[in-house]
């Protein structure tokens, strides 16, 4: 899949064989190296020890042409609304990407295809409404994802975190989630911390599988259980998510016996007969009234 993003090539020094020019060539190469490193740092950013900091600069777009050896990139506290496809293609050394507090609503498909060493991704305080399937495709080294404080976040696709076997910390707190598919979490064997508090959880029958899974992992997975509360249905509104027991979901497992079905059929039959009888009586009554009214009219004539 083409990205359209061309990585800049580093100039190769031309060899000099004359002994008198060796020292001069060496000094020129060193000077070019220093000036090249300085020039490769984007405007409004600071670059030091493979850390590029462009935070808090009111940027509306991502800076182009970062140093190729960038390991830590901070674009936090800006106004960035989109990231171009293939933006990370040239930065295979990237370990940390901080995009918090921007205006992002989605990420381009395949953004992390070459970011195979990325371990920390911060997408908090943005405008995401959903986490798409394979949103983090090929980012197999990710250990922490922060999606907290995305108030419009309503849906997490069951395949959103597929392939992230190294993921240890996942923060989905303070969004708009009312439901989370168990499938989205089952493929995360290394998960240690899961933050889900501050969401409007609907604690109906669909919540039971997730709650069972969380209880089974409570010794290995730390969760903000005190902050996770039910928003609906009304009978459990405000209740801590982890206060719900199997008894809370008893109604979800009610099964009907043969006697129950026979009783329902009998009631249905009785109701049908009663309906027919009522209609019959109403018909007779209406007919009698009609005849009486006609007879009265004839007598008056």
């Amino acid at each position: 899949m083409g990205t359209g993003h061309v990585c800049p090539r580093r100039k190769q020094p031309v060899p000099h064989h004359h002994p008198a020019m060796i020292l001069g060539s060496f000094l020129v190469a060193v000077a070019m190296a220093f000036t090249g490193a300085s020039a490769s740092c984007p405007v409004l950013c600071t670059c030091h020890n493979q850390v590029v900091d462009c935070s808090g600069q009111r940027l509306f777009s991502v800076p182009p042409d970062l140093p190729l050896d960038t390991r830590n990139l901070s674009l936090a506290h800006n106004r960035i609304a989109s990231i171009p496809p293939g933006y990370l293609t040239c930065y295979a050394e990237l370990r940390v990407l901080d995009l918090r507090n921007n205006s992002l609503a989605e990420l381009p498909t395949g953004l992390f295809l070459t970011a195979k060493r990325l371990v920390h991704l911060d997408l908090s305080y943005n405008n995401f409404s959903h986490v798409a399937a394979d949103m983090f495709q090929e980012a197999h080294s990710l250990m922490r994802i922060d999606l907290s404080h995305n108030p419009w976040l309503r849906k997490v696709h069951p395949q959103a975190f597929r392939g992230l076997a190294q993921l240890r910390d996942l923060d989905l707190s303070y969004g708009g989630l009312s439901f989370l598919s168990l499938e989205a979490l089952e493929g995360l064997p290394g998960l240690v911390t899961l933050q889900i508090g501050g969401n409007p959880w609907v604690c109906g029958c669909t919540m039971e599988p997730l709650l069972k899974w969380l209880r089974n992992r409570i010794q290995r997975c730390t969760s903000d259980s005190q902050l996770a509360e039910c928003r609906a249905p009304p009978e459990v509104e405000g209740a801590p998510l982890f206060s719900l027991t199997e008894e809370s979901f008893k109604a979800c497992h009610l099964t009907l016996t043969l006697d129950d079905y026979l009783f329902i059929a009998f009631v249905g039959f009785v109701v049908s007969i009663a309906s027919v009888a009522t209609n019959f009586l109403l018909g007779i009554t209406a007919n009698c009234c009609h005849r009486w009214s006609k007879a009265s009219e004839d007598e008056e004539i």
Side-chain angles (χ1 to χ4, degrees), residues 78-233:
N78 284 297
R79 302 174 184 177
I80 300 169
S82 64
I83 297 178
Y87 179 66
L88 301 179
T89 299
C90 304
Y91 313 116
E93 299 296 321
L94 193 64
R95 305 293 202 279
V96 177
L97 178 58
D98 188 352
L99 290 165
R100 63 193 152 124
N101 196 17
N102 276 285
S103 302
L104 294 169
E106 61 180 0
L107 296 179
T109 302
L111 178 64
F112 306 108
L113 287 177
T114 58
K116 299 183 183 300
R117 298 184 180 182
L118 187 66
V119 296
H120 183 118
L121 176 62
D122 195 337
L123 298 171
S124 61
Y125 294 93
N126 275 283
N127 296 326
F128 289 96
S129 61
H130 68 285
V131 183
D134 298 323
M135 181 172 173
F136 310 104
Q137 184 181 2
E138 297 300 326
H140 300 311
S141 296
L142 271 175
M143 298 182 68
R144 175 172 172 76
I145 298 177
D146 191 344
L147 278 159
S148 66
H149 296 89
N150 277 273
W152 312 116
L153 184 59
R154 300 284 190 271
K155 181 180 180 182
V156 175
H157 194 279
Q159 302 295 326
F161 308 116
R162 183 171 61 177
L164 303 185
Q166 304 300 319
L167 192 67
R168 294 174 56 84
D169 303 316
L170 177 60
D171 195 340
L172 297 171
S173 62
Y174 297 99
L177 293 173
S178 61
F179 169 77
L180 181 61
S181 169
L182 176 58
E183 186 180 348
L185 301 177
E186 282 183 320
L188 302 176
L191 195 63
V192 174
T193 304
L194 175 64
Q195 306 293 330
I196 58 174
N199 285 287
W201 297 110
V202 175
C203 301
C205 295
T206 56
M207 177 61 73
E208 186 180 17
L210 175 64
L211 195 56
K212 281 186 176 180
W213 184 86
L214 289 173
R215 280 207 185 94
N216 292 335
R217 294 179 57 95
I218 201 68
Q219 299 301 325
R220 293 184 295 143
C221 177
T222 303
S223 178
D224 54 345
S225 56
Q226 298 302 316
L227 298 176
E229 295 183 349
C230 301
R231 183 70 58 87

Side-chain angles (χ1 to χ4, degrees), residues 282-293:
L282 288 174
I284 292 177
T285 303
N287 188 42
C288 290
C289 290
H290 178 70
R291 287 184 179 183
W292 179 80
S293 177

